[in-house]
Amino acid sequence: MHGAMTDNHHFIQIPPRPEPKPCTKAEPFQLESLVRHEEEMQREMQERERKEKEEAQMRIFRAQPVLQEYAMRKNSKLSNGY
């Protein structure tokens, strides 16, 4: 009986392991929306700087000469009690 059991056993052949494949390397990429976002942020920053410079220029005090006619009118009003 022992001999009959050995005749019925079939050994399964396991194929050899394949060679490991090289790791894939990630390729750099840029999403178009990110590029557009960066460009828009840059444009907004430049626009903000331009407006700030314009506002700073407008805040600079520039003395204007007083016109004689205006000064005379103002002085005459003061002498009349206004």
Side-chain angles (χ1 to χ4, degrees):
M1 208 136 140
H2 191 285
M5 273 180 55
T6 57
D7 291 339
N8 291 337
H9 273 46
H10 297 286
F11 292 102
I12 299 170
Q13 288 285 347
I14 299 175
R17 231 175 229 207
E19 288 293 318
K21 294 182 180 179
C23 294
T24 56
K25 294 182 181 178
E27 292 181 18
F29 67 95
Q30 279 205 315
L31 297 176
E32 285 182 38
S33 60
L34 289 178
V35 173
R36 283 194 308 266
H37 175 72
E38 285 296 321
E39 290 171 352
E40 185 65 20
M41 294 300 286
Q42 186 74 18
R43 189 186 66 74
E44 284 180 11
M45 188 185 314
Q46 289 171 347
E47 183 70 18
R48 191 176 317 120
E49 288 174 359
R50 184 187 63 78
K51 283 183 179 179
E52 287 174 2
K53 284 180 184 177
E54 283 179 4
E55 289 173 3
Q57 285 290 333
M58 294 179 80
R59 279 190 232 110
I60 295 173
F61 177 76
R62 291 182 187 89
Q64 299 288 324
V66 177
L67 297 174
Q68 285 293 85
E69 183 183 316
Y70 176 77
M72 281 192 234
R73 241 188 291 143
K74 190 163 180 114
N75 287 336
S76 66
K77 285 184 182 178
L78 288 174
S79 62
N80 292 336
Y82 289 102

